[in-house]
Amino acid sequence: AAMAATTLGSFLDHITRGFTPELAEHFAKLPKPDPRFQERLDELAEKANQGTLSNEEAVEYEKVTEYMDFVALMRLKAQSRVSERASS
């Protein structure tokens, strides 16, 4: 898992290096998830904690959390780019 995280981080560094200032700012300031999405995520998380996810829900929950991790890392990389540009 650590190798995958490092590989993903390197990949996102490569991508965000080419961001325009406007695009970096956009990703750095992404809004919170839609309330309906957050409600569904909370429902899946509760079921996961209780051990009551169906197979289909387990797949959904895994994919959603992977995508959210990707977006969170993208935001961090974009915020870093915004900070770098602000300090130059």
Side-chain angles (χ1 to χ4, degrees), residues 3-83:
M3 178 66 115
T6 303
T7 302
L8 179 59
S10 297
F11 174 68
L12 290 176
D13 278 338
H14 173 74
I15 289 177
T16 58
R17 230 176 276 127
F19 276 12
T20 63
E22 296 81 11
L23 186 56
E25 188 78 25
H26 171 77
F27 270 98
K29 294 183 176 181
L30 285 174
K32 291 185 178 186
D34 174 87
R36 288 175 293 160
F37 173 82
Q38 188 63 55
E39 185 178 307
R40 176 65 176 157
L41 182 61
D42 292 346
E43 176 186 335
L44 292 171
E46 186 174 328
K47 284 183 164 188
N49 290 335
Q50 295 171 351
T52 59
L53 284 173
S54 69
N55 289 340
E56 187 176 288
E57 289 171 326
V59 169
E60 178 186 2
Y61 187 55
E62 182 180 344
K63 288 202 179 301
V64 167
T65 55
E66 285 177 6
Y67 296 150
M68 289 179 63
D69 287 348
F70 177 83
V71 170
L73 189 53
M74 179 74 91
R75 283 183 73 187
L76 287 173
K77 299 291 185 182
Q79 288 168 348
S80 175
R81 297 288 175 239
V82 169
S83 295

